[in-house]
Structures are given as C-alpha cells and as structure tokens.
Amino acid sequence: MFVHGVGEDSRIWQPQLDALADEFTVVAWDEPGAGRSSDVPRDFGLADYAHCLAGLIDALALGPAHVAGLWWGGTVVQELYRHHAELVGTLILVDTYAGWKGSLPEEEVRARVAGVHEMLRRARRGIRPDSPGAVRRRAARRVHPLLAEIAAAVRPETLETQLPLMAEADQRDLLRGIAAPVLLIWGDEDARSPLSVARQFEQAIPDAKLVVIPGAGHVSNLERPNEFNDAVREFCRVHPLG
C-alpha cells in the first residue's frame, strides 16, 4: 500500500506500480481530497486520514500489509500504526517526518508555517503549488511532466486542511513503540527532509533499516526508481506477509 504526499495523488507511485506488480499486489490510494477521491471534510484530522486508510486496507482485504508513505504520507502511515497496528505488517517510511514539530528545529518549523500561509494565499488565487527543493534540478526535466499533471489537479481546500496538520504533528512518542519491521528510504540530496531526520528515525525505532539513495532528493521514488524499487523488493522479501 503506497501513500502519497501533500499536493500529490496516487500517480506519484507509477514507477512502483509498474515495477513491483510482477511479485506483489500493489495499491496506491488517492487520499480524501486528492485524485479520484471526494473532497476532504474541513474538520478532518490526522487520525481521520489514518482511519480512512485503514478502511481501504480492510475493504481490499490486504492487511496486514507492507505500508509505504512518502513525506506527508509517511506521517499518515505512522498514525495508521498508532490506531490500527494490526493492519501493518511492515512500515516503509520515505523522505518523511514524525510531523514537522517532531522532526525539525523550532526555527525551521516557524519558517515552514510562514511558507504554508504563503502557499495557501497563492492557492486561493489559483496559483498551483510547487515544492521548492523537492526534486533535484538534474531530475526535474525527466519527472516534470508527471509532476505538472499532478499539480494541476491539486485542490486548495485540501492544502488548507493538510498543511496545518503537518506543521502541528509530533509523533516522537510513537516511534520507540513500533514493533513492526521498518525500512527507511532517503535521498541523500533531500533538502526538505534531510538525512539528519532519517538518522532520528533510525535511532528512535528499534531495528529500523536505513537505505540512502545517492543522487536522489525529496521524491526519491521518482528520481531513482530502480534503486528505490530494489530496496522495497528486498525488504518485502525478507519480511514476507501472509
């Protein structure tokens, strides 16, 4: 089960759906307010996203599943583990955070919150969001058409719900209690969630395995799909489910 980030939808996982379906049942969701899903309710919280994800895993009879989340999606799947650990066979956390408050210095959180307000202001004027620092310049040309298609479908109302949740989240209390096998995948050139954040996860989660992908930024699954897919495949083979 693949879970996308803010301002994205299930299409961000296309290289994984294409490459891994030969061996696994692979599913990428459109979370509430994204892709083909209905609009997100105004009062939605982080736990509500987790409950919806649990409902999908249940409906498809996939649990316990290998559950992978990319940045915001990683925060969602951590919350899934908090509330529905029985559905999680393994966790694959990709260029993510334990919430911004849980992973970043206070000064950086303040700067990002200011950036959130500016992004929302632009979104209300119909200016589509971008992700400064998310994709390395060398990879931008190759992945830009897909990212542009996804950005064109972003709903400002969804950003207004998600970004404040990301800013306020602090999941550090959860990490030491994770008993499922955990794979951390990070781009070594990730400017948004730097390797120092990956090291925090590695130290906090018992027996977590960290794979660093050279030459990848914040969207490592798109920038270096072969290396990413190899890491996921090997991990899932080592921890078979069912």
Side-chain angles (χ1 to χ4, degrees):
M1 176 64 70
F2 289 106
V3 183
H4 60 79
V6 169
E8 299 169 354
D9 59 41
S10 60
R11 289 174 289 178
I12 205 79
W13 296 109
Q14 197 58 56
Q16 286 65 58
L17 299 179
D18 291 342
L20 298 173
D22 64 332
E23 187 171 352
F24 305 99
T25 299
V26 287
V27 177
W29 87 327
D30 286 326
E31 68 183 7
R36 292 164 293 179
S37 290
S38 58
D39 290 342
V40 63
R42 283 284 187 178
D43 59 349
F44 231 49
L46 185 55
D48 295 309
Y49 282 97
H51 297 325
C52 283
L53 180 56
L56 178 59
I57 294 172
D58 258 340
L60 297 177
L62 293 179
H66 302 290
V67 187
L70 174 65
W71 75 285
W72 153 263
T75 301
V76 171
V77 303
Q78 289 170 71
E79 202 67 15
L80 173 72
Y81 186 87
R82 184 193 300 278
H83 296 284
H84 302 279
E86 73 283 357
L87 296 179
V88 180
T90 72
L91 281 171
I92 302 172
L93 304 178
V94 185
D95 296 292
T96 190
Y97 313 89
W100 283 351
K101 278 192 175 179
S103 295
L104 301 173
E106 184 176 341
E107 171 180 313
E108 176 66 16
V109 174
R110 284 198 299 268
R112 293 198 183 194
V113 168
V116 164
H117 291 310
E118 174 61 18
M119 183 181 291
L120 294 178
R121 185 184 68 81
R122 290 165 60 85
R124 293 185 195 105
R125 292 168 50 201
I127 301 173
R128 295 298 176 183
D130 56 13
S131 300
V135 178
R136 296 169 311 120
R137 185 169 298 176
R138 293 195 301 274
R141 182 175 299 177
R142 176 168 50 82
V143 302
H144 182 267
L146 174 60
L147 294 178
E149 289 178 17
I150 293 173
V154 170
R155 307 172 209 176
E157 299 80 7
T158 301
L159 298 179
E160 290 177 350
T161 298
Q162 290 178 319
L163 290 170
L165 292 176
M166 190 67 177
E168 291 297 320
D170 184 346
Q171 297 169 308
R172 285 175 291 183
D173 66 304
L174 172 66
L175 301 184
R176 293 201 179 277
I178 294 177
V182 175
L183 174 64
L184 309 169
I185 305 180
W186 244 260
D188 72 342
E189 297 182 22
D190 189 340
R192 297 292 293 169
S193 180
L195 271 176
S196 59
V197 176
R199 301 297 182 193
Q200 293 170 16
F201 276 98
E202 188 180 28
Q203 292 173 9
I205 301 174
D207 300 320
K209 176 184 178 182
L210 173 61
V211 172
V212 178
I213 299 182
H218 195 48
V219 193
S220 56
N221 68 300
L222 277 186
E223 295 181 62
R224 306 288 290 190
N226 292 336
E227 292 89 338
F228 184 95
N229 294 340
D230 287 346
V232 170
R233 190 184 296 274
E234 179 184 350
F235 179 74
C236 292
R237 284 175 175 172
V238 171
H239 301 285
L241 303 177

